[in-house]
């Protein structure tokens, strides 16, 4: 289930007393340093997860550094919450509008917490299953789950308190539509509220994917079905290439809830601590391994693939690819889960085009493009095929699909060569 939201973020963030005092604290006490512990990898293992997985885990280790005053009292326990991280980044940034970005990300994180809670209790609360008891189909012909619809509403209501939210487009709509008083100004956000929702009844990982663009210019849209050309142009603000993304991220609802975020200056991961209801920085400066040993594709489509792709995958299975090592296959069918594993362990995730669906299945604006920015920020690559960087693709419609090959740079280079 996918949604595109347009919104303006008013530049009032740092006027609030709470935030001002947080900033004062951040100035007074040195920001806690983040430690990543080193580990030697001298033992070779045939387990595809062992080395790459450990390498990623090592990078993820975070030990908070408490700060004490002269009397030895701990004045800062060193925990870096998402809010604190964003505020400190905004203070360091020379890019105007970062305060608005803090507010936007904060609203999204609240929605993620709510969705995480609903996903965890779906089996108890009776929110598993199909919306409207079945037969509720979105614009792309996909049957909606109850939680698709609820997650969409949660995102809308989390962003609405800004008073600026107005454009909503979803899989039930061909185009973004006006649902409220609308100011589509500084930012336009694209969402897939609950990606992988077909897995939800089996309690398998799902996620929310989002991308944030700058709106071309301030625009106001009335509450009318007959939009003027200027108003239509506002709605089309979502049709931007991924190179224009100013932020992207995902929340993964799994054994833990993880929010992975980039605002264009590296990639960081935060884990929800349910005891305090805060996202805590647990994966600072994520870097994907340059090569992995796992491929992740829906092989049920094998016989519809390009023969060159079939050969590439056959080679990985036979240990006849570039590394000469046998790869393992892992496929959840929930992009956020498959991509998160690929980001940490390395390897390749792909949803290629095939004979039936030449552009594959994944949607450019709220699946492929945000994930591509995320991977590039982590040193990975993402292409549609030979010579086709996903981020360069200019959408011509909101729900456009594109083939995706995303992962470790060496693995993506290998598949690109194989397909050329
Ligand atoms: P749903 O949201 O309908 O479950 O689709 C999930 C998804 O868009 C993406 O998350 C998966 O990677 C992909 O579809 C799986 O598609 P296949 O079932 O065709 O493998």
């Amino acid at each position: 289930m996918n949604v595109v939201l347009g919104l303006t973020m008013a530049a009032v963030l740092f006027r609030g007393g709470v935030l001002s005092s947080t900033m004062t604290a951040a100035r007074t006490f040195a920001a806690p340093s983040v430690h990543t512990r080193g580990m030697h990898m001298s033992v070779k293992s045939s387990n595809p997860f062992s080395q790459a997985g450990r390498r990623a885990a090592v990078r993820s280790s975070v030990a908070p550094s408490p700060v004490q005053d002269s009397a030895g009292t701990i004045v800062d326990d060193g925990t870096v919450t998402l809010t604190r991280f964003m505020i400190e980044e905004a203070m360091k940034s020379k890019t105007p509008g970062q305060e608005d970005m803090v507010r936007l990300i904060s609203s999204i994180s609240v929605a993620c917490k709510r969705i995480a809670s609903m996903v965890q209790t779906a089996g108890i609360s009776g929110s598993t299953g199909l919306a409207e008891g079945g037969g509720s189909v979105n614009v792309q012909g996909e049957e909606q789950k109850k939680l698709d619809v609820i997650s969409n509403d949660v995102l809308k209501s989390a962003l609405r308190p800004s008073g600026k939210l107005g454009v909503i487009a979803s899989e039930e709509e061909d185009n973004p539509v006006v649902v409220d008083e609308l100011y589509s100004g500084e930012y336009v956000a694209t969402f897939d509220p609950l990606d992988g929702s077909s897995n939800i009844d089996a309690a398998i990982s799902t996620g929310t994917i989002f991308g944030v663009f700058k709106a071309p210019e301030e625009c106001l849209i009335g509450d009318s079905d007959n939009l003027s050309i200027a108003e239509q142009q506002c709605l089309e603000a979502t049709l931007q290439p991924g190179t224009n993304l100013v932020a992207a991220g995902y929340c993964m609802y799994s054994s833990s809830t993880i929010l992975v975020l980039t605002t264009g200056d590296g990639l960081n991961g935060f884990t929800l601590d349910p005891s305090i209801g805060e996202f805590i920085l647990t994966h600072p400066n994520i870097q994907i391994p340059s090569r992995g040993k796992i491929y992740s594709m829906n092989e049920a489509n094998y016989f519809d693939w390009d023969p060159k792709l079939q050969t590439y995958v056959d080679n990985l299975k036979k240990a006849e690819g570039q590394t000469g090592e046998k790869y393992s296959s892992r496929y959840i069918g929930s992009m956020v889960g498959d991509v998160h594993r690929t980001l940490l362990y390395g390897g390749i995730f792909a949803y290629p085009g095939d004979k039936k669906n030449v552009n594959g299945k994944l949607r450019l604006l709220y699946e492929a493009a945000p994930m591509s920015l995320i991977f590039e920020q982590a040193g990975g690559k993402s292409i549609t095929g030979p010579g086709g960087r996903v981020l360069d693709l200019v959408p011509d419609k909101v729900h456009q699909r594109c083939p995706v090959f995303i992962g470790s740079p060496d693995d993506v280079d290998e598949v690109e060569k194989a397909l050329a």
Side-chain angles (χ1 to χ4, degrees):
M1 163 75 186
N2 313 294
V3 165
V4 182
L5 304 177
L7 51 128
T8 301
M9 302 304 295
V12 296
L13 183 67
F14 290 134
R15 288 185 204 144
V18 176
L19 287 176
S20 303
S21 62
T22 312
M23 288 169 67
T24 309
R27 280 201 198 97
T28 309
F29 309 114
S33 54
V34 169
H35 296 283
T36 53
R37 287 181 217 106
M39 185 187 277
H40 295 290
M41 302 287 183
S42 52
V43 183
K44 270 213 155 200
S45 165
S46 59
N47 178 349
F49 296 105
S50 57
Q51 290 189 53
R54 260 191 255 137
R55 228 177 283 135
V58 168
R59 285 198 189 93
S60 313
S61 304
V62 175
S65 303
V67 177
Q68 298 177 337
D69 64 13
S70 53
T73 308
I74 292 180
V75 290
D76 178 351
D77 72 357
T79 303
V80 181
T81 63
L82 174 64
T83 309
R84 175 176 178 170
F85 178 85
M86 289 296 298
I87 290 171
E88 289 176 359
E89 290 293 302
M91 287 167 67
K92 278 188 277 173
S93 171
K94 294 189 173 49
T95 315
Q98 284 303 298
E99 300 88 349
D100 297 344
M101 182 63 76
V102 178
R103 188 170 171 174
L104 172 55
I105 299 299
S106 170
S107 299
I108 293 171
S109 76
V110 169
C112 287
K113 287 180 206 173
R114 292 216 176 107
I115 297 170
S117 164
M118 289 183 325
V119 165
Q120 271 172 359
T121 54
I124 303 164
S125 64
S127 19
T128 52
L130 298 172
E132 296 172 16
S136 177
V137 173
N138 64 33
V139 72
Q140 294 169 85
E142 295 164 350
E143 201 151 30
Q144 290 180 298
K145 295 277 187 178
K146 281 183 201 166
L147 276 173
D148 280 330
V149 177
I150 301 170
S151 303
N152 184 10
D153 291 343
V154 166
L155 270 161
K156 281 193 270 179
S157 67
L159 290 160
R160 193 166 274 138
S162 70
K164 309 295 181 185
L165 176 66
V167 176
I168 302 291
S170 77
E171 281 186 309
E172 301 100 89
E173 307 285 349
D174 284 324
N175 295 298
V177 293
V178 180
V179 294
D180 208 345
E181 178 189 3
L182 169 67
Y183 297 86
S184 179
E186 189 146 357
Y187 293 117
V188 172
T190 64
F191 284 94
D192 188 340
L194 198 60
D195 189 64
S197 59
S198 58
N199 290 305
I200 203 87
D201 295 359
I204 291 167
S205 305
T206 50
T208 298
I209 307 171
F210 59 91
V212 181
F213 297 96
K214 281 257 181 195
E217 57 189 40
E218 186 93 2
C219 50
L220 176 64
I221 298 181
D223 192 14
S224 156
D225 288 341
N226 301 315
L227 297 181
S228 68
I229 291 171
E231 287 171 332
Q232 284 170 24
Q233 281 168 350
C234 284
L235 295 181
E236 284 165 11
T238 53
L239 298 181
Q240 299 188 50
T243 43
N244 287 1
L245 281 164
V246 291
Y250 60 79
C251 301
M252 184 177 72
Y253 313 114
S254 186
S255 56
S256 54
T257 300
I258 295 187
L259 193 159
V260 170
L261 172 71
T262 177
T263 51
D265 183 21
L267 185 69
N268 293 281
F270 303 81
T271 303
L272 182 63
D273 180 345
S275 65
I276 57 170
E278 289 278 2
F279 280 105
I280 308 296
L281 179 64
T282 49
H283 298 62
N285 190 23
I286 299 172
Q287 288 290 307
I288 188 170
S290 57
R291 170 73 83 169
K293 288 185 181 176
I294 303 170
Y295 70 93
S296 183
M297 305 175 201
N298 185 344
E299 281 197 82
N301 299 327
Y302 180 92
F303 292 107
D304 292 325
W305 286 348
D306 178 341
K308 289 175 181 169
L309 181 62
Q310 293 174 338
T311 305
Y312 164 78
V313 170
D314 292 346
N315 286 342
L316 297 184
K317 293 180 189 176
K318 292 187 283 184
E320 290 176 7
Q322 280 179 356
T323 62
E325 300 215 40
K326 191 164 147 39
Y327 274 50
S328 264
S329 164
R330 294 287 183 276
Y331 189 73
I332 303 169
S334 190
M335 188 188 193
V336 176
D338 282 318
V339 151
H340 188 70
R341 182 198 55 247
T342 306
L343 192 59
L344 296 189
Y345 295 172
I348 187 157
F349 167 82
Y351 208 111
D354 58 40
K355 274 187 219 156
K356 286 190 204 141
N357 303 299
V358 286
N359 287 318
K361 178 179 180 189
L362 302 178
R363 276 57 59 109
L364 174 60
L365 273 172
Y366 34 81
E367 291 180 304
M371 288 301 193
S372 298
L373 181 67
I374 287 166
F375 270 65
E376 289 200 6
Q377 287 289 316
K381 286 192 171 181
S382 178
I383 60 170
T384 56
R389 183 179 173 224
V390 170
L391 288 181
D392 287 332
L393 208 54
V394 183
D396 54 27
K397 52 182 193 242
V398 172
H399 303 293
Q400 183 170 328
R401 300 171 194 263
C402 71
V404 178
F405 300 87
I406 191 167
S408 296
D410 293 355
D411 284 292
V412 176
D413 285 347
E414 181 175 353
V415 77
E416 183 168 28
K417 201 169 164 205
L419 295 175

